[in-house]
Structure formats: structure tokens, C-alpha cells
Amino acid sequence: MDEQQIAILLEAASRFPRPQGVKLSYGTAGFRADASILSSTVFRVGILAALRSLKTQAVIGLMITASHNQVSDNGVKVADPSGGMLTQEWEPFADSLANAIDAEDLVRLIIEFVKKENIQFGVKSAEILLGRDTRPSGESLLEAAKQGINSIVGAVATDVGVVTTPQLHWMVRSRNKGMQASEAAYFEQLSNSFGCLMDLKPKETTANVMDDKLTVDGANGVGGEKLEELKNFLKEIVIDIRNSGKKGGVLNEGVGADYVQKEKVVPHGFGPNDVGMRCASLDGDADRLVYFRVLSESNKIDLVDGDKILSLFALFIQEQLSILNKENMEAKNGYPVRLGIVQTAYANGASTDYLKKLGLEVMFTPTGVKYLHEKAAEYDIGIYFEANGHGTILFSEHFVSWLEGKNIEFDKTSKGSEQQKAALRLLAVSKLINQAVGDALSGLLLVEAILRHKGWSIQRWNELYQDLPSRQLKVKVADRTAVVTANAETVVVKPSGLQKVIDAETAKYPQGRSFIRPSGTEDVIRVYAEASTQEAAENLAKSVAQHVDQFLGLGSN
Ligand code: 16G
Ligand code: MG
């Protein structure tokens, strides 16, 4: 780094002083806090994104969003060249940048890091795609990010405007693959591959037994807005969008996937007129999706969560693979496709049982998309979902090119055969479902395509298995880092002795299961319990929470 670069950084950084007494951590989903204290953090993440672009010599993404948090919060996260999350190796650098005391401290850290990583200036230019959700604070924070980027010589910020988080990740991935990365290209890819799946529907289910209409809760955020646009590209599907943010509703307030999944009640704008209808809910930045059905009594719903979306996807993919492989295997030129399912400890035990009964390989990772994504990428087809509705299906490049080759072969040998249709369906899924990150809009279209393929109602889908009753609680503790877990968060290693009492409590309940983990986004320990009845799940959660409190609670302090 030359003198001129250092001078530019010092000058720019002095315009973004860090607020006193706030300590931020990059966490599972970037930095998040009240928007009023975030400009220096976003400015600094702008610098980080520019350095990451110089290091990787590829396009990087920077997204300004706080997802399902209240509207006064905001946040920032970085997308790597693949379109996935920022590499975990750079997270400590992100933390130290965000917490640097002043401009001098910040520049010192940058100089050290640039040297350590051997980042070259002036060889190639850096480019960063900037996106934001609909939060009112987004515009000024975007400006702070631009100034951070512009303080690295040769770095260019490209503002892609208001987008969903998955759209931005998709654009970064597409740019780095040399493909069209515009919003129009995104809508086209989604609608074309959806159309392809519709064309390949089996004849016998075309006389639909399901309700054509889908009603979507847009969380008063960016997802509702984008779905309105995407709708224009879609035939064969009627979507009624509520809480699109246009009629003055507040982002995430009594609406959205997080609210619906946690509270298990109807979002605002839904009521008795919607009983029995197929409904879906997106979160504030449209990277989570859950479905639900309004029940006749009060405001209760039947929740169809991420685990059930995962199960529907797994079932469909497995069916297509078995059609495709039937003759291939017999002809001894089949492809031993490795299909893997990835869940977290929050997955309902009934979903795991169901998937295992299908003969599928189910793996577990700690909570947080980056862990699930990494694991799923080890397979030819890796399907991952968190119960909260974040997930996607990853196809290996090798498998996609094998499928493409197969399709050309079928053209010559057995055009229009069932095998060819299965190959084409899998290819369409690989284009429809976002390969960079979980995407509520592409997930929603895949659910809709599969339901139409099978001629299933939401009720039929929900009956794949019955969820075990569960309960989640949180316990405020003095220091959440005192809890250390292992085996994908299913075992408490520290404080010692705590796992033993959890085991003893769990053993009292038929089908009992319970685990605890420190939250990555709040200062609490989360408790999860499931058992054969709701009452048992509540009691188990309560007694485990009491033990956590005894071991680590705030007590009389
Ligand atoms: C973040 C994670 C989400 C996880 C949640 C857990 C990403 C993009 N998001 O929102 O995957 O389920 O944190 O929150 O990784 P918790 O640690 O507070 O329970
Ligand atoms: Mg989100």
C-alpha cells in the first residue's frame, strides 16, 4: 500500500467515527444493530469488500439488510465470488475492522492484513455489487458503503438498487461465471425453468385436484415487491400478494416468515376468509420461506415449515433420480448419484425419521447457513434446510454436465422417454433453485411446481409426516459464550455436568429430545425440546431451561 492510498483511507475513515461503547461481531448473518449506529461499520465493510475483491480478483457482493429484525434495525453482509457467504477465514478481520477505535487504528489493521494476505493493488480493478432491502435507513448506509469502497484505489461500486438478499447473491455468482446478472435475467431464469417444469408435468395430474391460487404474505418488505414483478413473467399460476408494503404496513411487524414460524399464528392481513387456503410467508429480505394453512378456529395455523419443504424437495428429486437411473443402471452406464440431506438439530425429529425411511443420507451441522451450505456442496445433489425456512438445493457442476450430456444422448436414442423427462426436470430444478443461497422466491416456485406435478393440496403435502410437538425457550445468562457445544450442537461440552442433567430430564419423556445452544444473534441461550405430547415438550423445555439458569443464570446479580 503506498502513501497516497494510506492518506485516502485516513481521510475517509475520519469522516465515519465509530460510536463509543458498542462492540459488534460479524456473527452468522453479518453485522446487525440499530441502524443509527451502523454507518461506520458499513463504511468499513465497504473497505473489506473491496479488499476481498482485490484478493480474489472477482466480483464481490455487499448487502444492506437486517432480514427479519424490526424496521429500525439494519445490517450488512458480504457475498463471496461463488455467491455464498463471506469465507469464515475473513470473519475475524471483519470483527477487528468494525471495532477499530479510530481512523489510525483502522488503517494500521488494514496495512497488516494486506501484507499478511499479500493483496496486490493496482494489478486488477475491484468491483463490488451493492444491494439493499426496503428499510428507510438503507439509502444512507449504502452511501457509507460506497465511500468505503471508493477509499480503495481502483475499486468500483455498482449499485443494483433495492433487491432481495438472494437476488444479490445470484447476481454475484452470475457475474463471476460470465453470465447475465441483471434483475431481468434473474426473473427470466426463474420463470423459464418454472415453465419447463410445468411443460413436463405428467399428463395424468394435469386435471388439477389442487387449488390454483396461492396467497403470499410479503412481510411488508422487498420480497413482496419483487414477487409482484416476477408474477408478470409467470403463466399457470395465480398469486395473491398481501403485506407487500405498499399499503403502509410495517416491515416484519406481525407479518413475515419468522413471525409465522415462531408464533404459529396467521400474519396480519389473513383471517377467517382464508381458511384452508394454501398460503406462504416470506421474511424481510426474502431468503426464508414457510407455508401455512389457516385453521377454522381463532388465528391458529397449520405450519408447513422448512423441514417439510425439504421433505417435499427430497421426495421429488429422489423420484426423478430413480426414473432416470432405472434403465441406466441396468445398462451399467448409470451414474451413482450422491444425494445428501443436511439439517440442523432444530429439524423436527419426525422429518428426520421420514427422510431416513426414504433411504436418504441425512447429515447434521451447527445452526447457520454457512455450515449447512458447505456440507451440502459435498454431494452431487445436496439439499439443505433449516426449520425456519432457509435452504436450497445444490447441484455439483460435474453432475449438471453429466445430465446435459445424458439429455443429448436421449435426443438420439429415446427422445421423449420418461428417462429424458426426468433428466430435463432435474436440469430445470438446477436452474430454478438458487445455487448461491436459500431464496424464498425460487423456493416458492419449486414448491408450486412440485405440488402441480403431483396434483397435491397443501393438506396432502402436510400429511407426509406429523410433526412431533416441540417448544423453544430462551434463557438470559451473564455470558452466553460459557456454553460450548459439540456434535452439531447436540451435546453440551461446557459447563461440565450440564449435559448429564439434560440427559436425565430427557429420559423421563417418551420420544423426548432436547438441546441447548448459545444464540448467534441475541444474548441468550436457546433451549429446544420435543416429545410425544405438547405438554411433555413444554415441561421438558421448562426443566432444561431451569437447569441452564441454575448453571449460568443471572441469578441475584
Ligand atoms: C441467522 C442465520 C440463520 C440462523 C439464525 C439463528 C444466516 C444467513 N442466517 O439468522 O441461518 O438460523 O441466525 O439465530 O446464516 P440464533 O443464533 O439467534 O438462534
Ligand atoms: Mg432473511
Side-chain angles (χ1 to χ4, degrees):
M1 265 169 71
D2 61 20
E3 291 303 315
Q4 190 205 2
Q5 172 65 80
I6 292 172
I8 295 172
L9 272 170
L10 278 173
E11 192 280 318
S14 60
R15 278 184 274 128
F16 289 93
R18 172 178 169 266
Q20 299 293 307
V22 187
K23 193 165 185 301
L24 291 163
S25 145
Y26 194 80
T28 39
F31 294 113
R32 270 187 214 174
D34 190 275
S36 62
I37 61 160
L38 272 178
S39 11
S40 73
T41 314
V42 175
F43 165 80
R44 291 164 182 206
V45 174
I47 297 176
L48 177 138
L51 294 176
R52 185 80 190 136
S53 179
L54 284 178
K55 167 80 187 183
T56 56
Q57 309 226 324
V59 176
I60 293 291
L62 187 156
M63 181 71 194
I64 294 173
T65 176
S67 182
H68 54 275
N69 287 32
Q70 57 192 8
V71 66
S72 52
D73 281 357
N74 215 329
V76 57
K77 51 187 170 185
V78 173
D80 246 7
S82 64
M85 306 282 169
L86 172 70
T87 175
Q88 290 168 52
E89 285 163 21
W90 276 45
E91 285 183 13
F93 178 54
D95 286 346
S96 54
L97 278 195
N99 295 308
I101 298 163
D102 53 22
E104 282 73 28
D105 190 24
L106 179 75
V107 173
R108 185 184 53 76
L109 284 168
I110 296 170
I111 295 172
E112 258 171 36
F113 189 74
V114 161
K115 205 186 235 168
K116 183 177 131 248
E117 291 283 323
N118 192 22
I119 296 171
Q120 302 292 322
F121 285 71
V123 180
K124 240 189 140 198
S125 59
E127 184 177 355
I128 294 87
L129 302 188
L130 293 176
R132 63 180 175 95
D133 70 13
T134 52
R135 281 162 217 267
S137 55
E139 216 166 326
S140 74
L141 289 175
L142 194 109
E143 189 47 39
K146 271 189 191 161
Q147 298 211 22
I149 294 165
N150 291 339
S151 66
I152 295 293
V153 176
V156 180
T158 305
D159 181 358
V160 301
V162 172
V163 285
T164 70
T165 296
Q167 274 186 311
L168 184 81
H169 284 256
W170 184 93
M171 287 174 184
V172 169
R173 184 184 146 90
S174 299
R175 273 295 304 276
N176 287 318
K177 283 179 158 291
M179 293 169 352
Q180 278 263 357
S182 63
E183 183 166 85
Y186 170 85
F187 288 144
E188 251 164 56
Q189 180 166 330
L190 261 59
S191 53
N192 287 346
S193 43
F194 177 76
C196 214
L197 286 170
M198 290 297 92
D199 292 343
L200 290 161
K201 257 186 329 191
K203 293 264 175 319
E204 50 291 4
T205 54
T206 45
N208 243 318
V209 291
M210 63 178 281
D211 192 344
D212 249 353
K213 193 174 116 188
L214 169 71
T215 310
V216 179
D217 156 30
N220 290 321
V222 61
E225 267 183 28
K226 297 299 169 183
L227 188 57
E228 286 284 3
E229 291 179 50
L230 177 58
K231 244 171 75 170
N232 300 328
F233 291 76
L234 299 166
K235 284 176 261 157
E236 299 206 41
I237 177 164
V238 183
I239 306 179
D240 172 14
I241 304 167
R242 310 208 186 139
N243 306 327
S244 65
K246 281 189 198 142
K247 291 185 194 134
V250 179
L251 175 70
N252 298 332
E253 208 173 276
V255 295
D258 192 64
Y259 175 78
V260 168
Q261 192 240 349
K262 291 223 171 86
E263 306 296 327
K264 297 200 175 86
V265 294
V266 290
H268 285 174
F270 288 73
N273 289 342
D274 305 309
V275 170
M277 302 285 287
R278 190 170 73 261
C279 305
S281 188
L282 320 174
D283 78 334
D285 62 341
D287 65 352
R288 287 195 200 174
L289 169 72
V290 296
Y291 271 70
F292 63 93
R293 203 167 62 97
V294 182
L295 298 176
S296 45
E297 347 100 51
S298 67
N299 61 350
K300 295 261 164 39
I301 55 163
D302 248 349
L303 176 72
V304 184
D305 64 0
D307 298 337
K308 239 168 212 154
I309 298 175
L310 166 67
S311 301
L312 183 73
F313 288 178
L315 183 68
F316 181 74
I317 298 277
Q318 194 189 35
E319 277 171 7
Q320 300 314 310
L321 283 175
S322 76
I323 300 172
L324 178 67
N325 266 341
K326 208 166 160 213
E327 275 192 7
N328 289 326
M329 284 304 187
E330 283 158 13
K332 293 201 173 42
N333 64 352
Y335 180 101
V337 181
R338 288 193 66 223
L339 170 59
I341 310 294
V342 188
Q343 298 191 303
T344 72
Y346 285 112
N348 195 282
S351 75
T352 312
D353 277 352
Y354 172 78
L355 293 160
K356 286 189 172 159
K357 275 191 194 124
L358 290 179
L360 295 166
E361 189 177 329
V362 186
M363 306 295 296
F364 287 86
T365 71
T367 302
V369 171
K370 58 193 173 195
Y371 303 113
L372 290 117
H373 191 96
E374 191 174 63
K375 190 81 208 161
E378 290 174 13
Y379 295 88
D380 294 307
I381 306 180
I383 315 180
Y384 71 87
F385 259 91
E386 292 189 312
N388 64 25
H390 189 115
T392 193
I393 311 178
L394 299 182
F395 288 77
S396 76
E397 280 183 15
H398 183 252
F399 179 62
V400 171
S401 11
W402 179 82
L403 272 178
E404 280 161 352
K406 215 65 214 155
N407 183 40
I408 295 170
E409 212 178 293
F410 287 136
D411 265 344
K412 293 182 196 138
T413 58
S414 50
K415 203 171 167 59
S417 64
E418 282 309 308
Q419 278 80 14
Q420 182 170 33
K421 282 188 197 157
L424 286 170
R425 283 185 198 117
L426 289 169
L427 279 171
V429 174
S430 78
K431 295 203 175 68
L432 174 55
I433 200 86
N434 197 319
Q435 295 296 290
V437 75
D439 180 341
L441 299 185
S442 76
L444 176 145
L445 288 185
L446 184 55
V447 167
E448 292 299 308
I450 298 176
L451 292 180
R452 282 167 177 75
H453 178 98
K454 290 186 157 302
W456 279 6
S457 63
I458 184 168
Q459 194 163 3
R460 172 67 188 83
W461 169 25
N462 198 28
E463 282 164 3
L464 280 181
Y465 59 83
Q466 203 185 353
D467 277 325
L468 275 169
S470 68
R471 177 74 177 146
Q472 290 195 47
L473 293 175
K474 47 186 178 182
V475 184
K476 281 214 161 67
V477 293
D479 175 15
R480 68 181 149 142
T481 61
V483 170
V484 179
T485 64
N487 292 359
E489 302 175 324
T490 53
V491 178
V492 184
V493 183
K494 271 186 197 165
S496 70
L498 182 50
Q499 185 58 45
K500 222 168 155 193
V501 291
I502 296 176
D503 288 342
E505 287 299 339
T506 310
K508 294 179 190 165
Y509 299 90
Q511 292 182 281
R513 185 170 72 91
S514 181
F515 69 92
I516 67 163
R517 54 176 283 276
S519 157
T521 62
E522 274 181 76
D523 245 336
V524 296
I525 299 297
R526 298 205 190 279
V527 175
Y528 177 91
E530 66 186 30
S532 57
T533 66
Q534 192 57 46
E535 196 190 350
E538 307 269 347
N539 289 339
L540 177 54
K542 235 184 269 164
S543 38
V544 169
Q546 273 161 10
H547 286 299
V548 172
D549 196 43
Q550 274 159 20
F551 271 73
L552 308 141
L554 295 170
S556 52
N557 293 337

